[in-house]
């Protein structure tokens, strides 16, 4: 009798161990488990250790960490009929595990596909200049649209970043020409402004010399003195009528003597 009981207890012990191994579950801090009992949503459990009913409960594990989706390059025609290739990165996380399982068949694939479609729709309504200069606003707009679409799925879109905008070579050359023309326009404006200011100063100087004839003579002598510092120069100048011939001769001899030295 004792042998029979011992032989019976051994299989029972094995069955109990198997049931316990199927009943005891454990998930990490960043994970949750959605429990279906006889096909109906029973609840969400975790993190840590919990029990389920084997063969009756079905457990599906969900990761709550932020996931990055690499949106492949999309050929987009902008509002001003320019074809560009744009790729982006979308960041999202699951905030309601039950809805992520029951409201959409594959929330990861659905979010990725929705990101591609939304990217094309939003950028197709913008012009090229706006696409190149307003990336921060575009990222925010795409994030808001995606977040509104995925909210019933229990998904929270935390960020969208347009990573690259590839332009055709012809458009790159056109943009380079436009930038070069803009720089040339600014240079011409600066040069014209400098000419205007110089003309204003010359006008003021001419007015000053007209009121003081002696000043123009002093300026002329100063110019001759500066030219005379160069020993290899010959200066030919037309003097005013009130200057005496002796003074001209003396000035010429002085310059010639300095050159000989």
């Amino acid at each position: 009798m004792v042998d029979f009981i011992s032989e019976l207890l051994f299989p029972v012990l094995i069955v109990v161990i198997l049931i316990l191994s199927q009943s005891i579950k454990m998930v990490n801090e960043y994970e949750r488990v959605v429990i279906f009992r006889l096909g109906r949503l029973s609840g969400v459990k975790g993190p840590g250790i919990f029990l389920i009913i084997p063969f009756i409960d079905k457990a599906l594990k969900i990761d709550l960490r932020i996931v990055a989706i690499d949106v492949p390059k999309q050929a987009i025609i902008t509002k001003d009929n320019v074809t560009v290739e744009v790729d982006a990165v979308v960041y999202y996380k699951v905030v309601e595990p039950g809805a992520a399982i029951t409201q959409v068949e594959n929330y990861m694939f659905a979010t990725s596909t929705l990101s591609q479609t939304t990217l094309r729709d939003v950028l197709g309504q913008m012009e090229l200049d706006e696409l190149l200069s307003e990336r921060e606003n575009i990222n925010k707009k795409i994030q808001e649209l995606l977040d509104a679409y995925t909210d019933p799925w229990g998904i929270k879109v935390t960020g969208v970043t347009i990573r690259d905008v590839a332009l055709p070579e012809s458009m790159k050359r056109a943009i380079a020409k436009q930038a070069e023309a803009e720089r040339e326009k600014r240079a011409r404006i600066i040069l014209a402004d400098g000419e205007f200011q110089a003309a204003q100063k010359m006008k003021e100087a001419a007015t000053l010399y007209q009121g003081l004839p002696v000043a123009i003579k002093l300026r002329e002598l100063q110019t001759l003195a500066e030219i005379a510092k160069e020993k290899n120069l010959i200066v030919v100048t037309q003097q005013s009528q009130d200057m005496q011939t002796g003074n001209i001769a003396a000035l010429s001899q002085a310059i010639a003597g300095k050159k000989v030295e």
Side-chain angles (χ1 to χ4, degrees), residues 142-170:
I142 295 175
Q143 178 184 347
E144 291 176 352
L145 291 175
L146 287 176
D147 197 26
Y149 286 138
T150 58
D151 184 65
W153 305 345
I155 305 295
K156 173 65 177 178
V157 177
T158 60
V160 176
T161 301
I162 295 178
R163 187 165 54 185
D164 184 31
V165 178
L167 299 174
E169 291 298 327
S170 59

Side-chain angles (χ1 to χ4, degrees), residues 18-24 51-58:
L18 290 176
I19 292 176
L20 289 176
S21 65
Q22 295 296 322
S23 301
I24 300 174
L51 297 175
I52 64 172
I53 302 175
F55 311 111
I56 295 178
D57 291 345
K58 180 180 180 182

Side-chain angles (χ1 to χ4, degrees), residues 64-248:
L64 301 185
R65 292 176 293 182
I66 294 178
V67 179
I69 300 177
D70 185 6
V71 181
K73 283 190 175 182
Q74 305 292 311
I76 299 170
I77 300 178
T78 61
K79 190 176 180 180
D80 49 352
N81 296 324
V82 178
T83 302
V84 296
E85 292 184 350
V86 181
D87 63 338
V89 180
V90 177
Y91 302 91
Y92 75 93
K93 64 179 181 179
V94 178
V95 294
E96 296 183 12
I101 294 297
T102 59
Q103 299 300 320
V104 62
E105 180 180 0
N106 187 335
Y107 67 89
M108 299 182 68
F109 176 76
T111 304
S112 176
T113 305
L114 181 62
S115 300
Q116 300 178 29
T117 304
T118 306
L119 182 67
R120 288 195 300 267
D121 292 343
V122 172
L123 299 185
Q125 300 174 2
M126 298 182 177
E127 295 185 354
L128 179 62
D129 293 340
E130 187 179 2
L131 173 59
L132 297 177
S133 61
E134 300 291 336
R135 287 197 183 185
E136 184 175 353
N137 294 333
I138 295 173
N139 293 339
K140 185 177 180 181
K141 184 176 181 180
I142 295 175
Q143 178 184 347
E144 291 176 352
L145 291 175
L146 287 176
D147 197 26
Y149 286 138
T150 58
D151 184 65
W153 305 345
I155 305 295
K156 173 65 177 178
V157 177
T158 60
V160 176
T161 301
I162 295 178
R163 187 165 54 185
D164 184 31
V165 178
L167 299 174
E169 291 298 327
S170 59
M171 184 55 60
K172 290 181 180 179
R173 290 193 295 267
I175 293 176
K177 290 181 180 179
Q178 180 182 1
E180 183 179 357
E182 184 67 24
R183 289 194 298 269
E184 184 177 356
K185 182 186 75 172
R186 291 198 297 266
R188 289 179 179 270
I189 292 175
I190 294 173
L191 180 61
D193 184 64
E195 292 287 344
F196 177 77
Q197 294 181 13
Q200 288 288 104
K201 294 298 181 181
M202 292 179 66
K203 178 182 178 182
E204 295 175 2
T207 303
L208 178 62
Y209 288 144
Q210 184 178 6
L212 296 172
V214 178
I216 187 64
K217 181 57 62 181
L218 293 175
R219 179 59 181 163
E220 183 179 1
L221 293 176
Q222 183 181 3
T223 303
L224 291 174
E226 292 177 356
I227 295 176
K229 294 179 182 179
E230 299 292 336
K231 298 181 180 181
N232 57 349
L233 293 178
I234 299 176
V235 179
V236 179
T237 179
Q238 180 180 358
Q239 305 294 336
S240 59
Q241 295 180 357
D242 60 346
M243 190 171 185
Q244 300 295 330
T245 305
N247 293 335
I248 298 176

